[in-house]
Amino acid sequence: MDEFNNRMDAQRNILEVINRQAGYTEELCGLSKNAIERWISSNHLNPRAEICEILFQITNKLFFLANKSQEQITEEYKLLSSEISALKITLEKAMG
Amino acid sequence: MHIYAFGSVCRGEIDSKSDIDLLAVVDGYDNRFDLSIYSIYSYNRLSDLWQEGNPFAWHLASEAKIIYSSNGKDFIKQLGLPAEYNKCIEDCRKFYNLYCKAVDSICSGGSSLVFEMSTIFLAIRNFATCFLLGKKQIGNFSRRSALQIGDRSIQISPDTFDLLERSRILSIRGTGKMIEKEEVRSSLEEISSIKIWMNDLLVEVETNG
């Protein structure tokens, strides 16, 4: 598997942790800062809640997945896989 | 430091879905830029992309407009034309795999429908752009490149294309009307048929490179 698709898988895995949980009005559509802010607002969550803060941390690692136009084609950024995996585990714990 | 605009605004493709893509070219690490607004590259990395003939280099070469230059020169203009693009087969396969995985996720009951639909949009757009650049030597970096390949254009209804594009905007910008499960369900057959279009173009790409 190439690096680009690995990064997309990492994003998919994080989103599944959130979206498989019942009870949210809207699903989390992506891991861009704007998508997370929409999700927080539409579900009336506290932006300082642990789950939200973890998501923003993940976004900072994965910002390259939310970038624009043809930049996705480049292999510009290294996958911070171990850090993202660790954050996924933290997120799962925070979700209970 | 150099700052450029690129993307739809530079192509004159203005609609309610347009945003402004900004590129910052910097020397080393620079933490002044909001990463959700700017794409940030070092001078060396951008030069490498030119030498690789990367589609993003072709994209910038064809449409980037300079906004600020700290030395009064246009760095991108000085780079000239990128090298020939020679990773068309590899990239088209990559985006084919990306598409297949997203469809599989939807069909197997995955919970992130908007993300998967957004991923399908990304896959078909980048697939079409790579096909046009690699096979036809045409630089088309539009969101609608898959609809602009003449008789090889993707055959899906405007409603389904709009649904995929809406998903992409929700996923990246967090704006727009939320996608309903029923909308995805009713377009799933058409979305699954995209595989045939991709397979046909892959055959063409893999034949004679």
Side-chain angles (χ1 to χ4, degrees):
Chain A
M1 179 64 87
D2 61 88
E3 190 182 322
F4 177 87
N5 284 357
N6 277 338
R7 294 199 300 262
M8 294 302 285
D9 281 344
Q11 189 169 203
R12 172 177 288 115
N13 293 338
I14 299 291
L15 288 168
E16 278 295 316
V17 173
I18 299 290
N19 290 331
R20 71 183 172 218
Q21 194 93 357
Y24 290 119
T25 308
E26 271 195 7
E27 72 172 80
L28 178 56
C29 299
L31 287 176
S32 67
K33 189 172 159 229
N34 290 341
I36 295 170
E37 284 172 348
R38 176 186 175 123
W39 179 75
I40 289 171
S41 169
S42 61
N43 290 293
H44 309 293
L45 302 174
N46 179 354
R48 292 202 174 82
E50 187 183 10
I51 291 168
C52 303
E53 291 197 342
I54 296 167
L55 284 172
F56 283 123
Q57 282 181 53
I58 291 170
T59 292
N60 286 336
K61 307 279 182 206
L62 289 172
F63 73 90
F64 41 79
L65 291 178
N67 59 19
K68 299 168 184 177
S69 296
Q70 295 313 112
E71 197 183 351
Q72 291 94 338
I73 294 171
T74 75
E75 306 292 356
E76 169 72 1
Y77 308 101
K78 290 182 180 174
L79 176 64
L80 304 168
S81 57
S82 58
E83 289 178 51
I84 291 165
S85 297
L87 283 168
K88 179 171 172 274
I89 292 166
T90 311
L91 183 66
E92 284 169 331
K93 283 181 184 162
M95 296 288 287
Chain B
M1 176 176 71
H2 290 76
I3 297 175
Y4 292 86
F6 66 101
S8 57
V9 71
C10 293
R11 295 189 298 270
E13 274 181 17
I14 309 300
D15 59 29
S16 59
K17 296 163 191 153
S18 304
D19 64 353
I20 298 174
D21 295 310
L22 293 172
L23 167 76
V25 193
V26 296
D27 228 344
Y29 180 72
D30 193 326
N31 63 2
R32 291 173 296 170
F33 294 99
D34 181 341
L35 300 177
S36 66
I37 296 174
Y38 289 88
S39 301
I40 302 174
Y41 281 78
S42 68
Y43 290 100
N44 287 342
R45 181 60 184 139
L46 211 55
S47 300
D48 288 347
L49 293 181
W50 247 253
Q51 283 169 24
E52 290 167 17
N54 187 286
F56 187 51
W58 281 100
H59 187 175
L60 293 175
S62 73
E63 64 185 32
K65 301 274 188 288
I66 194 157
I67 293 174
Y68 173 76
S69 167
S70 56
N71 64 1
K73 294 176 181 168
D74 185 335
F75 177 70
I76 284 182
K77 201 170 179 183
Q78 287 180 320
L79 287 173
L81 277 183
E84 189 181 350
Y85 173 50
N86 59 15
K87 285 192 174 175
C88 182
I89 298 175
E90 190 181 314
D91 285 342
C92 284
R93 283 181 186 149
K94 176 168 72 180
F95 294 119
Y96 173 79
N97 290 335
L98 183 66
Y99 158 84
C100 289
K101 205 150 198 181
V103 172
D104 286 349
S105 177
I106 293 173
C107 293
S108 61
S111 310
S112 305
L113 285 182
V114 179
F115 170 74
E116 301 301 357
M117 294 287 278
S118 161
T119 300
I120 291 167
F121 184 82
L122 171 69
I124 63 173
R125 177 251 178 101
N126 286 359
F127 183 97
T129 293
C130 292
F131 173 82
L132 281 165
L133 187 60
K135 193 71 187 171
K136 311 285 184 192
Q137 287 75 52
I138 294 171
N140 183 328
F141 306 100
S142 164
R143 290 195 304 267
R144 308 176 78 80
S145 56
L147 300 170
Q148 296 166 355
I149 320 180
D151 60 2
R152 310 292 271 155
S153 295
I154 194 168
Q155 299 296 315
I156 56 173
S157 66
D159 284 351
T160 296
F161 190 88
D162 287 348
L163 185 64
L164 294 169
E165 188 175 34
R166 232 174 84 206
S167 303
R168 185 74 193 150
I169 290 167
L170 275 164
S171 183
I172 299 301
R173 292 184 224 159
T175 57
K177 185 169 167 277
M178 184 49 64
I179 307 291
E180 303 295 332
K181 279 184 185 169
E182 188 47 42
E183 290 180 281
V184 177
R185 206 172 293 132
S186 63
S187 66
L188 198 51
E189 195 177 325
E190 218 178 346
I191 286 167
S192 300
S193 75
I194 292 170
K195 190 172 189 172
I196 299 168
W197 170 75
M198 283 184 156
N199 270 321
D200 285 349
L201 294 192
L202 262 180
V203 168
E204 191 173 332
V205 164
E206 287 167 347
T207 309
N208 304 322

